[in-house]
C-alpha cells in the first residue's frame, strides 16, 4: 500500500545508527574480554617487578586505562598481545622509576609466577616468549 502524499513511514523518520556503532560495541566487548583474561596476570607480573601487590595492581590498571583509550589502534596492530605487553612494561617502568631488564619477562612469568608455556606465549605475543622455550611458535 502506498503512503499518502506528504507522509513519511515511521521507519524512515528514525536516524540510522552510525556505521561504527556495531564496531564500537564489538571493540568494547573485545577489550572487556581481553582485560578479564589478562589483568590478573598483568598485575601479578607488575607486583613481582615492583615488589608490591598494590603497586602491581596500580600499574596494571594504568596500562588497561591507556589500552582502553587506544583500543582501536591496538586492534589494528600487527600483534595485539605484544602491543599490550609493551604498554604494561611502560607503566611498570614508570612506577619503578627505571627501565626494566630486557628479555627476561618470559622467564619471570614461567619461573616466578609458574605460568605455562602457552600462557606465557599468549601474554607476550612475540619472539620474547621464544627465549624460554625454543623452538616456540610466535604468539602472533
Amino acid at each position: 500500500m502506498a503512503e499518502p502524499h506528504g507522509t513519511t513511514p515511521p521507519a524512515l523518520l528514525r536516524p540510522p545508527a552510525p556505521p561504527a556503532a556495531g564496531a564500537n560495541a564489538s571493540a568494547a566487548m573485545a577489550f572487556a574480554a581481553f582485560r578479564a583474561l589478562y589483568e590478573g596476570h598483568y598485575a601479578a607480573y607488575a607486583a613481582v617487578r615492583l615488589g608490591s601487590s598494590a603497586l602491581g595492581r596500580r600499574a596494571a590498571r594504568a596500562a588497561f586505562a591507556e589500552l582502553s583509550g587506544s583500543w582501536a589502534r591496538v586492534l589494528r596492530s600487527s600483534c595485539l598481545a605484544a602491543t599490550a605487553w609493551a604498554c604494561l612494561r611502560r607503566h611498570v617502568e614508570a612506577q619503578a622509576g627505571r627501565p626494566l631488564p630486557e628479555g627476561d619477562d618470559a622467564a619471570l612469568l614461567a619461573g616466578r609466577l609458574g605460568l605455562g608455556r602457552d600462557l606465557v606465549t599468549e601474554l607476550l605475543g612475540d619472539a620474547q616468549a621464544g627465549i624460554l622455550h625454543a623452538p616456540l611458535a610466535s604468539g602472533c
Side-chain angles (χ1 to χ4, degrees):
M1 178 173 145
E3 296 293 324
H5 183 68
T7 63
T8 305
L12 297 179
L13 293 174
R14 282 180 257 128
N24 287 342
S26 293
M29 287 183 355
F31 177 77
F34 184 84
R35 187 173 190 163
L37 283 171
Y38 300 120
E39 187 170 20
H41 298 301
Y42 278 31
Y45 164 84
V48 169
R49 288 287 193 201
L50 297 168
S52 161
S53 293
L55 291 176
R57 285 189 303 274
R58 183 182 308 157
R61 280 193 307 268
F64 278 104
E66 179 182 332
L67 290 168
S68 175
S70 60
W71 191 244
R73 180 188 56 79
V74 174
L75 286 173
R76 290 187 308 270
S77 68
S78 63
C79 185
L80 184 149
T83 301
W85 191 260
C87 177
L88 173 66
R89 281 184 56 93
R90 282 193 309 277
H91 285 278
V92 172
E93 287 177 336
Q95 287 276 339
R98 65 185 184 323
L100 296 176
E102 290 294 325
D104 66 346
D105 288 346
L108 186 149
L109 290 167
R112 294 277 305 271
L113 297 178
L115 303 182
R117 170 186 173 168
D118 291 343
L119 183 53
V120 170
T121 302
E122 200 174 300
L123 287 166
L124 298 177
D126 65 5
Q128 190 184 136
I131 295 168
L132 183 61
H133 304 287
L136 183 66
S138 173
C140 294

